[in-house]
Amino acid sequence: MNQQPQTDPRIHPQIAEILAHIPASDGSAPSLEGWRGAEESRVPAPAERTPQLPGVRDAVAAAAHGDVPVRIYTPDERERSGVIVYFHGGAFFSGSLDTHDGAARALSVESGLTVVSVGYRRVPEDAFPAGLEDCYGVVRWAAEHGSEQLGWDGGTLAVAGDSSGGTYAAAVTGMARDEGFVGITHQVLLYPSVDLDFTEAGTARYPSRTENATGYGLETAGLVGHNSFYLDSGADPTDPLVSPIRRDDLSGLPKALIITAQFDPLRDEGEAYAARLRQAGVEATVSRYGSANHGFMVNFAWIPELYEAFTEVGRFLQQA
């Protein structure tokens, strides 16, 4: 087993304690069954999931490319509210409605909005762009049928995603603009992957891929192996639907909140994407969590100062 280097003392001590037991990445692709199984094994029983909500139900969204499983979270007893369509992370091959159930609950509680978590198709079983089509399809379904099926009040319609789910959220806003659909009001990108060029040149563009290359959970070498299922399925890193930062024109996209983590290889590309949005005239806010690593909103939300990120998202989504 490769030993990790000593962790930076600025990282949260409870995160550092766990990182000390995670072996370094060798850059190979993980076992599909092993990785997915390990994730699912950590999911609490339904009665133990927090925060508790008045309504959590599984449903099916009749999207343009077929039915998509969704889980709908209602924060209170109000009949109508705004809606967040949420895309879970997992490098496009893992993650599920269950593994990211806690994040969806927290988004609903802190925003006061209904959350629709999307069980999109994953690679390698379903090649690119199947998962992206599902995500976009559910957003259009929410806009077209949300009034009767979600209690949507016709106001906020946000997209949100963590990690590769952030890739999908950013790509969906571009798809919507290209099709003339202007219904998305906000985009929330949680430590997103927006440039899937993992070549030497791609890595050189972002200092965080070097600064945070090893020792912080997600490692730069691991980006290659984990994303290999997606790229091998036909996702081209030069395609703006795969690498949203490659989109030539970002004008007209919804305002954005981009949350990054200091000790994340993906930190700088997320912040660079925010800078490009601002250059295109889009309101974009970056919030960097200085003691956190990649995935902290899913893995370490039990740490109060890191749970604050959900509260920040809630405040952003409450803005008109």
Side-chain angles (χ1 to χ4, degrees):
M1 179 183 297
N2 295 328
Q3 295 296 313
Q4 290 286 26
Q6 185 173 356
T7 303
D8 191 299
R10 293 174 296 169
I11 199 164
H12 195 284
Q14 289 171 288
I15 297 179
E17 183 178 350
I18 293 172
L19 292 177
H21 301 284
I22 299 177
S25 174
D26 62 5
S28 61
S31 160
L32 280 173
E33 295 76 11
W35 191 273
R36 290 172 176 174
E39 283 191 327
E40 297 292 339
S41 71
R42 294 190 290 268
V43 174
E48 299 171 357
R49 297 177 189 177
T50 57
Q52 290 294 308
L53 293 168
V56 178
R57 62 185 174 92
D58 288 340
V60 173
H65 291 87
D67 291 346
V68 182
V70 297
R71 185 168 294 164
I72 300 167
Y73 301 80
T74 306
D76 51 41
E77 300 297 339
R78 287 180 296 168
E79 291 186 1
R80 309 189 74 75
S81 74
V83 169
I84 306 168
V85 183
Y86 169 63
F87 315 127
H88 67 77
F92 311 100
F93 78 90
S94 67
S96 69
L97 296 177
D98 285 335
T99 62
H100 288 64
D101 180 83
R105 289 171 181 267
L107 287 171
S108 183
V109 166
E110 298 303 327
S111 67
L113 306 178
T114 295
V115 170
V116 180
S117 185
V118 181
Y120 56 80
R121 288 171 289 175
R122 303 177 300 186
V123 294
E125 292 87 351
D126 292 285
F128 173 84
L132 180 58
E133 290 174 343
D134 287 349
C135 291
Y136 182 62
V138 172
V139 172
R140 296 302 300 261
W141 169 83
E144 294 164 11
H145 303 285
S147 178
E148 67 271 22
Q149 298 201 31
L150 302 171
W152 182 41
D153 62 9
T156 297
L157 178 60
V159 294
D162 64 287
S163 193
S164 57
T167 316
Y168 278 160
V172 162
T173 66
M175 294 174 72
R177 195 201 66 177
D178 291 347
E179 292 195 5
F181 173 62
V182 296
I184 300 172
T185 60
H186 304 70
Q187 55 177 316
V188 177
L189 313 181
L190 310 175
Y191 34 83
S193 174
V194 292
D195 190 341
L196 273 72
D197 177 3
F198 303 121
T199 64
E200 184 176 342
T203 294
R205 283 195 289 271
Y206 308 108
S208 59
R209 290 194 186 180
T210 300
E211 294 170 13
N212 299 325
T214 60
Y216 299 109
L218 177 65
E219 299 192 332
T220 300
L223 292 171
V224 177
H226 279 72
N227 286 278
S228 63
F229 301 109
Y230 192 51
L231 300 180
D232 289 348
S233 82
D236 179 354
T238 67
D239 183 345
L241 294 180
V242 176
S243 298
I245 202 167
R246 298 294 188 96
R247 179 171 284 270
D248 291 334
D249 180 8
L250 298 177
S251 63
L253 297 181
K255 62 183 173 182
L257 172 63
I258 300 178
I259 288 182
T260 63
Q262 176 70 32
F263 300 101
D264 181 359
L266 303 183
R267 181 193 70 208
D268 290 349
E269 63 198 75
E271 296 180 4
Y273 188 62
R276 285 211 54 219
L277 286 170
R278 289 192 290 264
Q279 290 167 1
V282 177
E283 180 183 337
T285 300
V286 170
S287 183
R288 182 192 293 187
Y289 280 71
S291 65
N293 66 338
H294 186 80
F296 74 94
M297 293 177 70
V298 173
N299 299 325
F300 297 105
W302 45 271
I303 299 175
E305 54 264 50
L306 299 185
Y307 183 86
E308 171 63 24
F310 287 107
T311 306
E312 183 174 10
V313 171
R315 289 195 298 265
F316 170 72
L317 291 174
Q318 288 159 11
Q319 300 172 10

